[in-house]
Amino acid sequence: MIAHIEGLPAGTLGFRAHGQVTAADYENIIVPDVEAAFALNRKLRLLYVTAEDFTGFDPGAMWDDAKLGMRHFSSWERIALVTDVGWLRVTATAFGFAIPAQFRLFHGSDLAEATRWVTESEPA
């Protein structure tokens, strides 16, 4: 299941993953929100958090994630992944270089820092 993270500034989307994330979660929540946000913004920022009850992604969800990322390959400005899930941290570290945005990985206890980083303005 995917839940919205409210209270983020325009141009920043936030999602919290609970339990097993399915293709339907992507198709019904993430994809419409991302597409609507890109209709209004040239670049987007993303805060993605795995909740303590997160168990993983089904194959359809991983495919939808890959398709969404590729469709907007150069349109991401910053991405903050907040997780304590070991395999997800290893995967993000291994493939972080391929993400066409500023990318940072945070532990669950650093959610406030991640939110601050993903939403802060660039220095002039």
Side-chain angles (χ1 to χ4, degrees), residues 46-107:
L46 175 66
L47 174 63
Y48 197 93
V49 179
T50 59
E52 289 183 15
D53 64 346
F54 173 76
T55 58
F57 303 98
D58 73 17
M62 292 188 307
W63 175 243
D64 283 345
D65 184 57
K67 288 190 306 187
L68 184 62
M70 292 305 294
R71 189 165 46 249
H72 298 290
F73 187 73
S74 62
S75 299
W76 300 100
E77 185 175 7
R78 285 188 181 178
I79 299 172
L81 173 59
V82 181
T83 187
D84 290 323
V85 177
W87 66 265
L88 190 51
R89 292 186 64 81
V90 168
T91 302
T93 300
F95 293 101
F97 73 91
I99 298 172
Q102 294 178 50
F103 173 76
R104 286 192 50 194
L105 182 60
F106 296 87
H107 285 282

